[in-house]
Amino acid sequence: MVSTLAAIIILGLLAMFWLEAARARELAVGISRAACDKERYQLLDDSVYLQRVGLRWTPSGLRFRRMYRFDYSVDGTLRQSGYVLLIGDQLEAVHIQGRHTIEQEARYNEAPAAAKTAKPKAEVIPFPRKRP
């Protein structure tokens, strides 16, 4: 009985994780498509791929931080790479061709009242590099 209940709970948690990951991927595709349309670039393959996953503390608790890569073309011949950073289902940043096109709306370490009055800043907090 206890092992059956534990198996059901584990399967439920896995299903929730899978659904959240699928939702985040679709959100990243939409964001990368909008960023490419804004810059008049062509989104290649019409897809993104997950490059990194990490955990991040936010005022609303522990969230997954995902980095999705996508390929685009400026002139139709050269393939270039950009990325979308998501914390949970919130956009942190989009990076295309050496600049940030969409900034995060509020910094996670500011107070909620200050975040409403402050102007958004273009800030990307990079993942730590692998040590050789």
Side-chain angles (χ1 to χ4, degrees), residues 13-117:
L13 290 174
L14 286 173
M16 286 174 44
F17 176 76
W18 181 77
L19 286 173
E20 182 184 345
R23 195 173 315 124
R25 185 182 181 282
E26 287 192 19
L27 182 62
V29 169
I31 291 169
S32 61
R33 186 178 299 129
C36 286
D37 288 346
K38 179 182 176 186
E39 299 292 328
R40 293 194 171 120
Y41 296 159
Q42 178 184 5
L43 178 64
L44 302 176
D45 305 328
D46 201 33
S47 66
V48 297
Y49 61 92
L50 182 65
Q51 184 172 9
R52 295 183 182 174
V53 177
L55 292 174
R56 173 94 184 252
W57 282 105
T58 65
S60 57
L62 191 62
R63 300 280 183 241
F64 283 105
R65 183 177 193 224
R66 295 178 175 94
M67 179 184 212
Y68 290 95
R69 285 271 182 195
F70 61 93
D71 293 328
Y72 65 95
S73 177
V74 175
D75 58 2
T77 57
L78 295 175
R79 181 177 284 256
Q80 298 182 3
S81 183
Y83 63 84
V84 175
L85 285 174
L86 296 174
I87 296 181
D89 61 353
Q90 299 296 315
L91 174 64
E92 184 175 358
V94 176
H95 187 267
I96 292 181
Q97 195 167 349
R99 66 177 179 261
H100 308 291
T101 59
I102 300 174
E103 300 89 18
Q104 66 189 30
E105 294 182 13
R107 296 178 63 189
Y108 286 99
N109 57 0
E110 292 179 355
K116 291 180 184 177
T117 59

